[in-house]
Amino acid sequence: MARSELRPVITLRSTAGTGFSYVTRKNRRTNPDRMVLRKFDPVAGRHVEFRETR
């Protein structure tokens, strides 16, 4: 079964400037805008915002 373009793989990059990133999937139909999640950055040692990069 082929991977669908409806749920693409996205990269969430830290806004703390550490270069750390998470990789996840999202549903384009329900979330058409770029995702912003507050997650833990182990390099910074605290929770920061992670924004979707393309």
Side-chain angles (χ1 to χ4, degrees):
M1 190 153 134
R3 301 244 172 159
S4 115
E5 285 299 314
L6 185 61
R7 291 191 71 85
V9 174
I10 61 166
T11 302
L12 299 171
R13 178 96 37 205
S14 174
T15 57
T18 60
F20 189 78
S21 63
Y22 285 99
V23 177
T24 187
R25 298 179 149 274
K26 78 168 188 175
N27 188 335
R28 269 205 188 133
R29 190 171 294 157
T30 59
N31 299 316
D33 301 330
R34 290 192 180 190
M35 287 180 71
V36 177
L37 296 176
R38 190 164 169 81
K39 295 178 72 68
F40 185 76
D41 185 342
V43 179
R46 59 191 172 98
H47 283 80
V48 296
E49 282 191 346
F50 281 76
R51 296 186 184 275
E52 176 182 344
T53 60
R54 302 206 182 204

